[in-house]
Amino acid sequence: MEPVPEDWQRALAIVAHPDDLEYGGSTAVARWTAQGKEVAEVLATRGEAGIDSMDPAEVARIRSAEQVEAARCVGVDTVEFLDLPDGTLEYGLPLRRRLTEVIRRHRPEVVISVNFRETFPGGFFNMADHRVLGLAVVDAIRDAANRWVFRDLGLEPWQGVRFALMGGSPQPTHYVDVTGHLEAGIASLRAHKIYFDNLGQDFDPEAMLTGFAAPVGREVGVEYAMPFELIAT
């Protein structure tokens, strides 16, 4: 794996649910905001279908607040929600249009998103929202650059996205050295406390993220690193 290029200033993270970014992506974000880079977060849903024992409206309120706190832990102040339905995201022109609007409005140089491959590392099948959202993000980067696509948005095209970084991919190509920033990433994952408390199983954010970052770090010659699939755009 090669290091992720860092000669850029502005990034946009687009994920499906609250907590999607926190399984490694937000740890990298902590490094970048510490460098003075600008990072904003956009979530397609509020994760309202994520707690079986609670009413979706209450879950949406709780998980939205937890995401805002998770973002704060890694130096991100801007968190937006598209209020699309959790669990039933559909790939197609409506989703691509919404994401094109977001990209043209934020004008990022780098886009961070979720794994759209069929599986996670280890062979576990990826969920539909992740697969749909991740693929739509990559397509929307190209849509956002084409002035003749989604002209009704009334926004200038944005051709400045250099690459997309997909977290949790089974095909990682690049890494981010997160040595010195792992604690911030752990804090961001811990911010989803009510969500994890209601999953009915013990969960240790520190063990999980350290377990992700330490082996990758050893592979690339640093203490801790997070892997990404880099897609050139």
Side-chain angles (χ1 to χ4, degrees):
M1 290 188 288
E2 299 178 10
V4 170
E6 294 186 328
D7 56 339
W8 49 269
Q9 181 60 29
R10 192 167 57 253
L12 176 65
I14 308 174
V15 295
H17 317 102
D19 90 333
D20 281 352
L21 190 63
E22 279 64 62
Y23 297 100
S26 65
T27 308
V29 168
R31 171 186 170 94
W32 294 325
T33 58
Q35 294 173 342
K37 300 185 190 302
E38 303 170 29
V39 183
E41 297 181 12
V42 172
L43 290 93
T45 81
R46 293 181 183 266
E48 67 273 9
I51 301 178
D52 182 70
S53 61
M54 296 177 64
D55 180 84
E58 179 66 4
V59 174
R61 183 190 66 78
I62 290 170
R63 299 198 70 192
S64 298
E66 289 185 335
Q67 185 59 46
V68 170
E69 174 59 17
R72 186 197 65 77
C73 290
V74 294
V76 174
D77 297 323
T78 300
V79 182
E80 300 176 3
F81 297 89
L82 300 183
D83 288 318
L84 299 174
D86 182 18
T88 58
L89 292 181
E90 293 183 285
Y91 181 88
L93 292 178
L95 180 56
R96 284 169 50 189
R97 184 180 184 279
R98 291 292 299 275
L99 299 180
T100 295
E101 186 274 333
V102 165
I103 293 167
R104 287 179 179 170
R105 180 161 49 82
H106 283 276
R107 304 173 78 80
E109 298 164 81
V110 174
V111 171
I112 308 156
S113 194
V114 294
N115 172 31
F116 62 83
R117 306 293 182 184
E118 288 189 349
T119 62
F120 287 113
F124 298 101
F125 196 70
N126 196 1
M127 69 179 300
D129 277 0
H130 296 162
R131 290 181 281 121
V132 165
L133 190 280
L135 184 59
V137 165
V138 176
D139 288 338
I141 291 171
R142 181 166 292 178
D143 295 335
N146 189 333
R147 71 173 60 255
W148 307 122
V149 174
F150 302 127
R151 286 177 282 173
D152 61 310
L153 290 173
L155 295 168
E156 286 296 308
W158 176 243
Q159 300 172 352
V161 178
R162 293 172 49 192
F163 54 85
L165 295 171
M166 317 308 283
S169 171
Q171 302 176 30
T173 60
H174 289 67
Y175 72 91
V176 176
D177 181 355
V178 296
T179 306
H181 303 283
L182 189 60
E183 285 302 319
I186 292 168
S188 73
L189 187 55
R190 281 189 175 135
H192 299 279
K193 183 179 186 306
I194 295 176
Y195 172 65
F196 292 131
D197 285 348
N198 281 274
L199 292 184
Q201 57 187 2
D202 291 332
F203 179 72
D204 186 339
E206 182 174 1
M208 171 171 277
L209 287 183
T210 303
F212 284 168
V216 180
R218 287 194 295 270
E219 180 181 344
V220 301
V222 301
E223 186 174 6
Y224 296 117
M226 288 297 178
F228 292 90
E229 179 179 358
L230 186 150
I231 298 177
T233 57

